[in-house]
Amino acid sequence: MRAREISSLALDSYQRAARVALSNHLVTATYPDRIALPLLRRWATELREDLLELFGYRLEVTETTARLFPVLDGLDDSQPARTSTDRIFDRRRYAYLALALAALGRAGNQITLSELADHVAAEASQVDGVELKTDRASDRDAFVDAIGWLAIRGAIALADGDATGWANNPSAGEALYDIDRPVVVAMFRPPRAVQHLRSIRGLLAGSDAPIDPEDSDLGHTESGREADPKETLRAVRRALVEQPVVYLDDLDLDGRTALAASRTVADVELLTGLVAERRSEGVALIDTSGRLSDFRFPSTGTIAQVALLIAGEISDRVIDPDAPTLATYPLPAGVALIEQLDSAIPDGGIFGDLAEFGFGSDATAFVDTEEKKLYPLIEDSWLTTVVDDLIERFGRTFAAQWQTDRDGLRTRAIALLHRLRLIHSVSGGVLVLPVIARYRDVMVSVRDRTPQDSLFGSEHTPSTDPSEVEA
């Protein structure tokens, strides 16, 4: 491991470069900032070796881009693409993004927004269920959101005009973009040709060779193949940097053994500069730098603060000896998201003669012979009551938009806890995961600003700071 050869004086710089690469799979001259690419270029040789050795990741660094090609062990729906206003991409925006990227790959050095929209509209008309009509405001807004996502990452740069003006009135507004071809080429590099796949499983780890489901025995967890200790170690390390918490119950026997080995976690700590927190249920890497995690928690803002308060209430409810016993259930199987995505694959886009089944060795494709662990279920009705009570107690300190949108506040806060793997959202409620117990003793203080006397008298109206919530 090359990190062991780096001097203590330079190690912090190397660890920052590793965190940038792991948290931003695409780095350009301007994204995520202007210092990221020079930092990666400085440590490119060492990072290539360490990322490959520890995780099986491939890193490509050029003069204008750095691209990390991760290995996917499973699908993660907790980090969707978002607009500049933090709105989650829907199906239409994802479709426009993919079609715009394809159009940019065939364009010259510059393109107008209306021209790009025409290209996307023409391609969209050939896909069932997708269309772009530039005379429809909602379509224009969704298209501009997709273009904005590309612009933030440096695939295109605004040369003249205004995208918002075009979205408001395409007959009067226009925008001209410069196309950065190296970024466009680096942005979409799937490990396999997607038009050859009948299942999204073909993009996951272990799917290098297609398997005909008629010839494979899905009743065996090993699928006739011996586990590779080196790949098991890599998979565990990938989980450590990709998931907020790695629970022992997520892993098979080999994975648990690998996670228990001190060297497994120590190597990731050395590379990233993060600190491991070991508990009986699993391991979490604590990011005190704030440069690897995509969200800091606990944090400021109404959503994060309410989520922390809910976490404390849930923890107290689980251990309350006087409350009715909670029903317990296993975590749902991970095949639901795969099935949803597979059902959306357009049959017309698959080349039948080249198509692969792509079932690979995804663990969710096999029957789990081990007894599943059960987790307490907190029902939606209880969560609704808790949020209503929190609003009554602290609502005056919340952002104005959430004081009247209790359902929206509850939904966003629960989604954040799910994203952090403190709970798992299911139909009718949430399953409580062990790490939420670390937020049991939540202390709340609401501070009022010291009122200042008026220049015209002593009358004043007190104002309040947002509530301070600490774990």
Side-chain angles (χ1 to χ4, degrees), residues 26-32 65 67 81-84 89 93-105 107 111-113 116-117 120 142-158 163 177-188:
L26 175 67
V27 175
T28 65
T30 58
Y31 181 82
T65 63
R67 183 71 164 90
R82 296 175 181 271
T83 69
S84 58
F89 268 38
R93 285 169 172 78
Y94 277 121
Y96 292 165
L97 176 60
L99 294 174
L101 194 57
L104 290 173
I111 193 168
T112 64
L113 189 58
L116 183 55
V120 171
F143 178 69
V144 168
D145 283 341
I147 298 306
W149 190 93
L150 292 170
I152 289 173
R153 285 152 182 81
I156 54 177
L158 185 66
Y177 288 95
D178 294 324
I179 301 173
D180 192 323
R181 192 154 304 282
V183 176
V184 171
V185 171
M187 188 167 283
F188 184 65

Side-chain angles (χ1 to χ4, degrees), residues 55-57 69-77 189-194 197-211 225 231 235 238 242-243 333-339 341-342 345 356-366:
F55 310 108
Y57 292 168
F69 296 90
V71 177
L72 300 180
D73 297 290
L75 301 182
D76 181 10
D77 62 353
R189 297 276 296 279
R192 314 183 84 177
V194 293
L197 298 175
R198 294 188 186 276
S199 171
I200 197 69
R201 288 190 180 99
L203 298 178
L204 301 180
S207 59
D208 295 334
I211 300 174
R225 287 185 292 241
E231 288 305 315
R238 289 195 292 264
E242 293 171 359
Q243 300 177 15
V335 298
L337 181 57
I338 291 177
E339 292 174 351
L341 292 172
D342 286 352
I345 296 176
E356 301 171 352
F357 289 96
F359 281 89
S361 61
D362 177 28
T364 60
F366 308 115

